[in-house]
Amino acid sequence: MPIGNYGLAAAKGMGKLGWHWWPAPNAIASRKFRNRPACLRYGACESGCPTGAKASTDFTHWRDAIAAGAVLVTGARVRRLTVDNRGLVTGAEYVDRAGVVRHQAAGVTVPAANETGTPRLLLNSASAQFPDGLANSSGLVGKRLMVHPYASVYGTYEEGLETWLGPTGQALQSMQFYETDTGRGFVRGAKWNLMPTGGPLTHTLWEPGEDWRDTYGPAFHTRLGTTFGRYTEWGITTEDLPEDHNEVVLDPDATDSDGIPVPRIRYTISENTERMLKFHVGRATEAHLAAGATSVHPAPVVRESGWHLLGTARMGTDPATSVVDQYGRTHDVPNLFVIDGSVFVTSTGVNPTATVMAVALRAMRHLADNRHHQPAAD
């Protein structure tokens, strides 16, 4: 995708400082590709692509899968996975939108329920055979949640940068401060993402602690006149490290509308990440000023929150210290595979989707190649 005027401005600033930058990848068709048209740069990526250029599973996978015979059941809320007397998973018990409990049998079961849904499902599947939850002999299901704590540094510029143009995702990325330098007072680092700031409505947003009325009425017009098309963001994606106290557990009291226990997230940003965020906010401020920003507005991460969810079903070769093996198969249940980001052993500092997809593809190719030797439920 084109990096745009705001990308050019940021690149010049990075060049002055001698810092790395590179045009960033986006899962968006820059020209017609298969059944997807080219991006028209509407900038509506986060609310739905009007043209279908943005990659989403309904365009990239499901149509071909259904044509090949896959059956897609929507509105199915899975309560638990069922097991037989051999300890193999026999399928999934789910509630449909009419409130009817159904069971989908399977020889091999492959959850991809994300880093909150997967531990929720495994823990909800506890039984006499698996009293601590399915595939949880290591005690690590739900443990070591990582969330990519995120900070933003906004810069306002005199010249028009057309920052309402899409894609909404990153135009540039930088790995200048990605690797460990212990002289900075922390380990690991972060990737920077240069982002546009969207259309007029995004300029009504305010930060916690500010008065929301300062962005409406006459203040909205004043703000729009100084920031619309002239406001861009360096986003900072930090490498969160795995810690046992950051976890997903089952809430002892709350359930969803089908009576299934809901997940509870316990998470605290580490001192290492706090120091990392402070350092990177300072450097991103320098980058804006070098690019010619007339004012800079840091917006560090709010509360104990982040961006992506990773960990909670760790991959490894030792069943005592991991949940799945190198192909996503759970150590405890040989016909149960996990193929989402919960298998990550560390978060890295980059957007994880492409890696999640690569790991899933590798796991399923292995399953297909070894299907004749794969244990399966009857």
Side-chain angles (χ1 to χ4, degrees):
M1 301 300 299
I3 65 174
N5 290 341
Y6 60 97
L8 288 171
K12 289 177 182 177
M14 296 292 275
K16 288 180 181 178
L17 295 168
W19 292 352
H20 162 271
W21 66 270
W22 198 253
N26 289 278
I28 297 171
S30 58
R31 56 180 173 81
K32 187 179 186 305
F33 180 71
R34 295 180 180 171
N35 64 336
R36 292 157 56 204
C39 172
L40 296 179
R41 306 193 70 191
Y42 283 113
C45 309
E46 292 184 333
S47 55
C49 177
T51 62
K54 179 184 175 183
S56 58
T57 308
D58 53 339
F59 285 113
T60 59
H61 289 76
W62 269 117
R63 296 180 184 189
D64 292 340
I66 290 170
V71 176
L72 173 62
V73 179
T74 61
R77 183 177 280 171
V78 179
R79 298 203 308 186
R80 65 188 182 97
L81 301 180
T82 55
V83 296
D84 62 18
N85 56 13
R86 298 178 296 166
L88 296 177
V89 172
T90 58
E93 184 180 274
Y94 69 92
V95 184
D96 68 18
R97 289 311 88 213
V100 177
V101 177
R102 302 185 181 276
H103 184 266
Q104 174 60 56
V108 175
T109 299
V110 186
N114 210 317
E115 299 66 34
T116 304
T118 289
R120 179 196 188 191
L121 178 60
L122 297 179
L123 294 173
N124 269 326
S125 300
S127 64
Q129 292 166 287
F130 300 98
D132 298 320
L134 198 58
N136 194 27
S137 64
S138 65
L140 290 175
V141 169
K143 298 288 188 180
R144 304 182 185 178
L145 172 70
M146 297 166 284
V147 303
H148 277 167
Y150 186 88
S152 301
V153 180
Y154 295 94
T156 304
Y157 293 76
E158 288 287 350
E159 68 272 24
L161 300 178
E162 296 184 323
T163 54
W164 61 81
L165 284 173
T168 305
Q170 53 188 357
L172 305 183
Q173 64 181 20
S174 175
M175 314 294 273
Q176 178 68 33
F177 303 106
Y178 186 81
E179 302 293 348
T180 294
D181 179 344
T182 54
R184 299 171 188 153
F186 56 86
V187 297
R188 302 307 303 141
K191 184 193 77 164
W192 293 9
N193 327 278
L194 184 76
M195 312 283 282
T197 48
L201 284 179
T202 62
H203 295 262
T204 63
L205 302 178
W206 66 95
E207 297 296 328
E210 297 178 0
D211 190 331
W212 63 269
R213 287 163 291 202
D214 291 342
T215 64
Y216 282 85
F220 169 72
H221 295 279
T222 301
R223 185 173 183 177
L224 199 66
T226 57
T227 61
F228 181 57
R230 297 178 169 86
Y231 202 50
T232 189
E233 172 198 358
W234 273 117
I236 299 162
T237 303
T238 59
E239 179 167 348
D240 207 10
L241 297 177
E243 298 179 286
D244 283 348
H245 65 270
N246 290 333
E247 61 181 352
V248 176
V249 298
L250 296 182
D251 194 291
D253 304 310
T255 60
D256 62 25
S257 57
D258 288 314
I260 307 170
V262 300
R264 172 181 286 184
I265 292 176
R266 296 170 176 162
Y267 180 84
T268 303
I269 293 177
S270 69
E271 290 184 12
N272 186 77
T273 303
E274 290 276 16
R275 291 193 291 268
M276 188 189 306
L277 285 165
K278 183 177 180 180
F279 171 86
H280 281 267
V281 166
R283 303 296 77 69
T285 298
E286 292 179 41
H288 273 305
L289 293 174
T294 55
S295 61
V296 180
H297 314 278
V301 66
V302 179
R303 298 177 57 225
E304 310 293 345
S305 61
W307 199 246
H308 305 112
L309 298 170
L310 301 161
T312 71
R314 187 179 193 270
M315 181 182 284
T317 56
D318 183 355
T321 58
S322 58
V323 178
V324 305
D325 68 12
Q326 66 268 40
Y327 296 109
R329 176 163 41 202
T330 62
H331 295 298
D332 301 349
V333 186
N335 71 331
L336 176 64
F337 289 74
V338 176
I339 57 167
D340 54 47
S342 62
V343 305
F344 279 37
V345 298
T346 186
S347 68
T348 78
V350 301
N351 302 54
T353 300
T355 305
V356 172
M357 294 174 69
V359 170
L361 179 60
R362 178 176 181 271
M364 293 300 95
R365 280 180 171 165
H366 177 80
L367 174 61
D369 292 343
N370 294 273
R371 61 192 180 278
H372 298 301
H373 308 290
Q374 168 62 45
D378 297 331

